[in-house]
Amino acid sequence: MAERIYLYPIWLRIWHGINALLFLVLLATGLSMQYSNPDLPLIRFDLAVQFHNIAGLILSFNYLIFLAGNFSTKNGSFYQLKLSGLYKELILQMEYYLFGVFKKRPSPFPVTKSRKFNPLQKVTYLITMYGLIPVIIITGLALMFPEFIIEKVFQSSGIFLTAILHTIVGFMLSMFLVIHVYFSTMGSSPISNFKSMMNGYHEPH
Amino acid sequence: MLLLLLLFSSYASAQLLVEMEGEPASLESNQTCFECHTKQIYTYENDWTGNIERKAMNPNFILDSTAFHQGVHRHFACTDCHSPEYESFPHPGEARLEPMYTCLDCHGGDDTYAQYHFELIEEEFSKSVHATRNDESFSCWMCHDPHSYKAMTRSEFKISEIVQTHNNACINCHNDPVKFQLVSDSIRPDLAKVHNFIPSYNLHLKSVRCIECHTSQQDTMWVAHQILEKELAVKKCVDCHSSNTMLMASLYKYQNLEARQDGFLNAVILNNSYVIGANRNYIFNILSIVLFGFALLAIAIHVYFRFKNR
């Protein structure tokens, strides 16, 4: 058995744990507000608003920790993307997930000390962490302080457009969460990646 | 008796003199009144001393002539409603004690105004806290200014304008310590404080009317007038923030004809605002369920093959 690699420093694991918890709170409260029903309240509307606001603020602060950590440690380098050959690498990784994994083929981009993410993970995490998360934070803060939102944008309410964007990105992030959790079961054992996020060590296949 | 006669004679003249359909006549007599009553400072010649005097007008007696000419009562002469004694200056002191008409004095029992349901308004008002907690001095004019009154919900006004005008009727007293004390000895509660359970209170105040939560909403009433005890006010967010939002039966019933039909639930609200829980898009709903379903299906297939080839 190959040696375990220490890939997930303590700050990252704490950040990740808090983020995961906040994701669940935000998802449950967000869905509860979006599909509020007086006869079947998932979470009481006013409580859902409060929890959503508090969780959103903590997530925003937590995101700053993520940014600071990535700027000040080598964790940031895992997100650096080389565009040349990326397309081929992505196809290779997708082929592995769609076929190779069933035939017990080795991963085309195995995890090493200098490569935490395969190309598909890298692109997905880049879009999520540097695209979707900032958008949901900015739109969320805008909805929390609606006086800063432009009142009318092309005959539509500015709040409406901000809310729609917030909801769409929220939906995309919920899709990310489901797929992310599923892919986490594809480590050396179905629970090895979950263990890694507790003890910091990656277990190679 | 004299007062009754006076009232009757002016009521009859109001009925006879005004031509409601045409443009408002710039009544000469009104101009004489506006000469002083539209200004903060007025001047007059003191007959005793022969001097020209400059005086500050009582702010309660200053009129906005532009608002008057846009209001529904623009066709009236001032003395149709006020005592003709005001035609002389200095105005006789007792003229100040003249009784004021209420809406029903002119509009009650008249088929011309049947669509406005004045009798129903009176009935609702008589049950409201404004009537039950006060004596008869609490009249229509406490909230509505007949000099500038516009039929907001019967015209082409935007929802935001209706909200602002109707809320101003409440806020004018409930946010003004002096005006509030005209009818109450209790300490005026701070509106922002008592509503602090509402997130973004100022946005709510800009988007919906106080009467949405503070009245008993009846289908038969166009604008609800039965102001409830504060304990009975709507406090449940979901009453508005749900697919069956009560806003459609209150504020947005004025705009049903202009409903946006672009796949959104309660779409007419989107012309002005966005109410989470009440505004949902059918297409987005279906699309999100389909996409989520696809993701779960793909995962299920993947799991199947993983276990099959284990």
Side-chain angles (χ1 to χ4, degrees):
Chain A
M1 190 177 157
E3 207 176 308
R4 298 195 311 167
I5 311 164
Y6 187 69
L7 265 187
Y8 312 106
I10 183 74
W11 73 265
L12 190 73
R13 280 178 280 148
I14 293 172
W15 166 80
H16 186 263
I18 293 172
N19 221 37
L21 207 66
L22 294 171
F23 248 66
L24 294 175
V25 173
L26 288 162
L27 191 59
T29 50
L31 279 172
S32 185
M33 285 189 277
Q34 179 70 10
Y35 298 103
S36 64
N37 181 345
D39 305 321
L40 194 73
L42 179 63
I43 301 164
R44 216 177 72 196
F45 195 93
D46 55 330
L47 292 178
V49 173
Q50 275 185 34
F51 287 150
H52 200 80
N53 285 349
I54 294 166
L57 282 175
I58 303 173
L59 181 114
S60 308
F61 181 73
N62 207 33
Y63 183 67
L64 294 179
I65 292 175
F66 169 81
L67 287 182
N70 275 359
F71 275 116
S72 57
T73 71
K74 73 165 194 164
N75 194 61
S77 65
F78 296 132
Y79 291 85
Q80 281 165 13
L81 197 64
K82 275 188 194 147
L83 288 174
S84 64
L86 179 67
Y87 181 70
K88 272 186 188 165
E89 288 176 0
L90 287 174
I91 297 289
L92 212 60
Q93 185 62 36
M94 274 192 244
E95 273 177 2
Y96 170 72
Y97 279 140
L98 288 174
F99 309 107
V101 71
F102 306 128
K103 295 175 182 168
K104 304 275 186 274
R105 281 190 196 145
S107 166
F109 302 97
V111 175
T112 64
K113 213 160 176 53
S114 59
R115 183 173 57 211
K116 193 164 85 166
F117 304 136
N118 67 49
L120 200 58
Q121 279 177 313
K122 207 183 265 191
V123 170
T124 314
Y125 294 160
L126 257 178
I127 292 171
T128 304
M129 294 313 301
Y130 292 102
L132 299 182
I133 295 280
V135 171
I136 206 149
I137 287 176
I138 291 165
T139 51
L141 287 174
L143 290 169
M144 200 181 287
F145 304 102
E147 53 274 25
F148 292 110
I149 297 178
I150 303 165
E151 212 155 295
K152 284 271 173 196
V153 184
F154 301 118
Q155 301 296 313
S156 269
S157 146
I159 290 179
F160 164 60
L161 295 175
T162 313
I164 286 287
L165 186 59
H166 190 75
T167 314
I168 291 173
V169 175
F171 171 74
M172 289 167 139
L173 287 169
S174 68
M175 291 279 280
F176 165 81
L177 176 69
V178 172
I179 296 166
H180 180 62
V181 169
Y182 175 65
F183 272 68
S184 305
T185 66
M186 293 176 69
S188 60
S189 80
I191 57 159
S192 63
N193 280 337
F194 295 99
K195 271 200 223 159
S196 304
M197 288 318 294
M198 305 295 277
N199 60 29
Y201 286 93
H202 178 79
E203 288 177 24
H205 284 265
Chain B
M1 190 63 195
L2 183 70
L3 270 174
L4 275 175
L5 261 172
L6 206 78
L7 269 175
F8 179 76
S9 66
S10 344
Y11 170 62
S13 66
Q15 291 285 301
L16 293 171
L17 279 175
V18 290
E19 168 52 60
M20 297 300 289
E21 300 304 321
E23 284 298 303
S26 292
L27 297 169
E28 225 171 275
S29 58
N30 282 4
Q31 293 309 317
T32 313
C33 301
F34 290 173
E35 194 74 28
C36 296
H37 282 282
T38 55
K39 293 171 186 160
Q40 290 183 313
I41 302 292
Y42 67 102
T43 51
Y44 66 92
E45 192 181 335
N46 186 328
D47 285 343
W48 284 20
T49 62
N51 293 335
I52 301 291
E53 305 265 3
R54 285 169 70 83
K55 295 280 180 191
M57 177 63 76
N58 180 334
N60 294 320
F61 301 147
I62 298 175
L63 200 78
D64 179 344
S65 60
T66 313
F68 177 80
H69 285 116
Q70 290 167 348
V72 290
H73 295 132
R74 61 187 178 275
H75 302 275
F76 287 87
C78 304
T79 47
D80 285 338
C81 304
H82 293 287
S83 164
E85 290 187 34
Y86 278 113
E87 283 170 357
S88 62
F89 186 85
H91 303 316
E94 63 267 26
R96 289 190 179 194
L97 303 175
E98 64 170 355
M100 297 293 178
Y101 295 122
T102 66
C103 301
L104 268 287
D105 289 330
C106 291
H107 296 294
D110 189 334
D111 287 344
T112 321
Y113 305 105
Q115 59 159 327
Y116 296 101
H117 303 292
F118 279 103
E119 285 80 8
L120 218 54
I121 293 175
E122 170 79 359
E123 198 185 312
E124 280 218 337
F125 170 71
S126 66
K127 289 186 236 161
S128 81
V129 282
H130 284 157
T132 55
R133 292 273 190 92
N134 297 285
D135 58 22
E136 281 181 4
S137 63
F138 199 108
S139 67
C140 311
W141 316 132
M142 286 287 185
C143 309
H144 305 290
D145 184 353
H147 302 105
S148 57
Y149 186 81
K150 292 174 195 165
M152 300 293 292
T153 58
R154 306 270 179 180
S155 312
E156 294 297 307
F157 288 101
K158 291 183 198 154
I159 289 286
S160 55
E161 292 169 324
I162 295 173
V163 168
Q164 195 189 6
T165 306
H166 284 190
N167 281 355
N168 278 346
C170 308
I171 288 166
N172 278 348
C173 280
H174 284 274
N175 237 6
D176 184 313
V178 178
K179 281 188 182 167
F180 187 79
Q181 296 240 306
L182 278 176
V183 292
S184 176
D185 291 328
S186 55
I187 296 168
R188 185 186 64 86
D190 183 280
L191 288 185
K193 239 184 224 169
V194 293
H195 290 99
N196 64 4
F197 65 96
I198 302 175
S200 302
Y201 165 65
N202 285 327
L203 183 66
H204 275 90
L205 200 61
K206 233 172 78 180
S207 312
V208 286
R209 299 169 302 177
C210 310
I211 59 170
E212 256 64 82
C213 302
H214 286 281
T215 57
S216 156
Q217 296 282 349
Q218 307 293 332
D219 288 345
T220 45
M221 274 306 289
W222 191 243
V223 179
H225 276 75
Q226 191 183 336
I227 318 288
L228 300 168
E229 298 277 346
K230 63 177 185 292
E231 292 78 16
L232 297 174
V234 170
K235 279 199 177 131
K236 269 191 184 167
C237 311
V238 281
D239 285 342
C240 289
H241 290 276
S242 60
S243 53
N244 191 23
T245 176
M246 69 172 203
L247 287 176
M248 290 302 287
S250 52
L251 179 60
Y252 282 89
K253 71 176 163 193
Y254 311 128
Q255 291 220 330
N256 276 349
L257 294 175
E258 293 174 34
R260 282 169 54 143
Q261 299 293 342
D262 45 3
F264 279 93
L265 214 58
N266 303 312
V268 66
I269 296 173
L270 296 175
N271 287 323
N272 305 278
S273 200
Y274 171 77
V275 180
I276 186 165
N279 292 133
R280 306 172 194 175
N281 188 293
Y282 312 122
I283 303 158
F284 282 174
N285 276 2
I286 293 167
L287 196 67
S288 59
I289 291 168
V290 169
L291 284 173
F292 216 83
F294 266 129
L296 292 179
L297 185 69
I299 289 172
I301 294 170
H302 207 263
V303 169
Y304 171 76
F305 281 110
R306 268 173 72 190
F307 278 86
K308 194 177 166 229
N309 298 305
R310 206 156 54 154

